[in-house]
Amino acid sequence: MPAALTPPTTSRRQFLTLLGISAAAVSCGTATATGGGSGDQVKTLKYQGSVGQVTLPELAADLGYLKDLKLEWVGNTISGPQDIQSAATGQIHFGGAFNGAIVKLASAKAPIKAVISYYGSDQYSYGGYYVLEDSPIRSARDLIGKKVGMNTLGAHAQALLEIYLGRNGLSKSEAAKVESLVVPPVNTEQALRQGQIQVGVLGGVLRDKALAAGGIRPLFTDFELLGAFSAGSYVMTQRFLKENPDTARTFVTGVAQAIEWSRTTPRDQVIARMTEIVTKRGRNEDTAVLKYWRSYGVAETGGRIEDKGFQLWLDWLGDRGEVKKGQLTAAGLYTNEFNAHAHTPGKG
């Protein structure tokens, strides 16, 4: 059965408006996933997961790094912007997204802080823009009039596509003729092979599974474009951090420990642990793709956030007119205060 394609009905203006609504909800105090109220800090953290995959907090919990904290899964998401909006409005306690999406949400005055990097690109883990082996698409200019399938609009995949087009000489009007479509990650390979899209953005285990099947090739990758970099962060509301500093420290440091565990543990053991986690949580998920896992791609030790992780996207969004230049600073978007594993005195 063909993979369903979701048309890009949400414009950038609508997206920013939605972020504004989310920020307003937080400002009005409608958030539900807040502090304990009685003076006790929150010990159960609500979150959204990802089908067939193990997030760093899930890995940290299974390894015992979250200590007395518990995770409460409330559903899955394929959209970073949706995930951090849910965190900003208090539906969940933490959410993760591409750093550019965090910049957008912060520009809409949502009182959030990035607390740790959780994914990125390196030689093992990267986002690739794939075409069929016999596709005539060989260059950026060949993408004019073509459809590119990605997990969500206004985030990492679309940002890297636009940077690629711009660096390869396409004007803004020409780049606008490259059509970005939302396709669930689990359906992207199928949509590409069936010709519903001409380019599919694939990353992680889904990328390696598709490559193992053969018949596709990369047009470019974000690692080739930008080198190794941390691309996304988990955020929490400033209110939650103020009311639950010990919980935040336990959570962030535990995730940092999980990052380093995944780097230093033999790959087959990491995959075995992930497979066990997915199996025992009983969500009727396929564990087959986990064998392709290689890395979370986080560039810095323990997920420590640095200015450069946000500055690139501040500049990019500023140039596009989506964020007012000078409204935000990179340093104001994040804190390493709660990351004991990677904390350096004197740096926020």
Side-chain angles (χ1 to χ4, degrees):
M1 193 171 175
L5 300 185
T6 304
T9 55
T10 302
S11 68
R12 294 186 181 94
R13 181 173 297 177
Q14 289 172 320
F15 181 74
L16 289 173
T17 299
L18 181 58
L19 296 185
I21 293 171
S22 298
V26 176
S27 299
C28 292
T30 59
T32 56
T34 59
S38 63
D40 296 328
Q41 295 189 31
V42 170
K43 295 298 183 181
T44 299
L45 302 179
K46 296 180 179 180
Y47 79 103
Q48 297 183 114
S50 184
V51 177
Q53 299 183 44
V54 178
T55 67
L56 276 165
E58 289 171 331
L59 179 61
D62 193 71
L63 291 167
Y65 294 153
L66 297 189
K67 300 180 181 177
D68 61 341
L69 302 185
K70 296 186 181 303
L71 298 179
E72 181 182 340
W73 175 71
V74 299
N76 291 318
T77 182
I78 63 167
S79 168
Q82 182 276 330
D83 202 33
I84 60 174
Q85 287 172 44
S86 294
T89 54
Q91 298 170 64
I92 54 179
H93 289 99
F94 64 88
F98 161 56
N99 286 341
I102 294 172
V103 171
K104 287 185 179 183
L105 189 56
S107 73
K109 303 191 185 305
I112 55 170
K113 282 280 186 181
V115 291
I116 188 170
S117 299
Y118 75 98
Y119 86 89
S121 293
D122 60 17
Q123 68 269 39
Y124 304 113
S125 179
Y126 53 84
Y129 294 67
Y130 290 89
V131 298
L132 296 178
E133 190 69 54
D134 59 357
S135 170
I137 298 174
R138 297 281 175 180
S139 69
R141 193 158 295 278
D142 293 335
L143 290 176
I144 295 175
K146 303 299 190 296
K147 296 176 180 178
V148 182
M150 58 191 64
N151 68 318
T152 190
L153 302 183
H156 183 124
Q158 191 170 30
L160 269 295
L161 175 62
E162 292 187 7
I163 289 174
Y164 170 75
L165 297 175
R167 288 189 178 182
N168 284 276
L170 269 68
S171 66
K172 289 185 178 180
S173 61
E174 289 173 327
K177 296 177 183 176
V178 180
E179 185 178 2
S180 296
L181 292 174
V182 174
V183 184
V186 294
N187 299 126
T188 300
E189 178 188 353
Q190 179 186 11
L192 177 63
R193 294 188 189 279
Q194 293 182 343
Q196 294 179 292
I197 54 178
Q198 286 72 56
V199 184
V201 183
L202 293 166
V205 294
L206 295 176
R207 176 203 65 223
D208 290 340
K209 175 177 175 291
L211 287 173
I216 65 172
R217 59 178 170 82
L219 177 63
F220 73 96
T221 72
D222 55 11
F223 178 62
E224 292 171 346
L225 197 64
L226 298 177
F229 67 101
S230 292
S233 306
Y234 285 124
V235 303
M236 290 178 156
T237 64
Q238 294 175 23
R239 176 181 173 183
F240 182 87
L241 294 173
K242 182 179 179 180
E243 295 180 349
N244 302 274
D246 297 332
T247 294
R249 188 166 292 106
T250 300
F251 170 76
V252 175
T253 299
V255 171
Q257 290 176 293
I259 291 171
E260 294 309 308
W261 182 88
S262 74
R263 290 192 214 270
T264 58
T265 303
R267 179 169 169 262
D268 61 339
Q269 293 181 31
V270 177
I271 292 171
R273 190 75 179 233
M274 290 180 167
T275 302
E276 181 184 346
I277 292 170
V278 171
T279 300
K280 69 184 180 183
R281 70 192 183 194
R283 299 179 196 165
N284 194 30
E285 300 162 283
D286 184 5
T287 62
V289 296
L290 291 173
K291 66 183 179 182
Y292 299 103
W293 181 89
R294 294 182 180 276
S295 166
Y296 283 106
V298 177
E300 292 76 24
T301 300
R304 177 180 175 79
I305 306 175
E306 298 182 351
D307 285 2
K308 63 183 180 181
F310 283 96
Q311 193 60 54
L312 173 65
W313 312 116
L314 275 170
D315 295 340
W316 176 68
L317 290 165
D319 290 341
R320 299 169 87 244
E322 293 194 35
V323 173
K324 184 179 179 181
K325 290 188 177 183
Q327 177 188 356
L328 302 169
T329 64
L333 293 166
Y334 69 90
T335 178
N336 288 310
E337 174 187 354
F338 302 98
N339 192 342
H341 188 79
H343 184 61
T344 299
K347 176 78 173 177

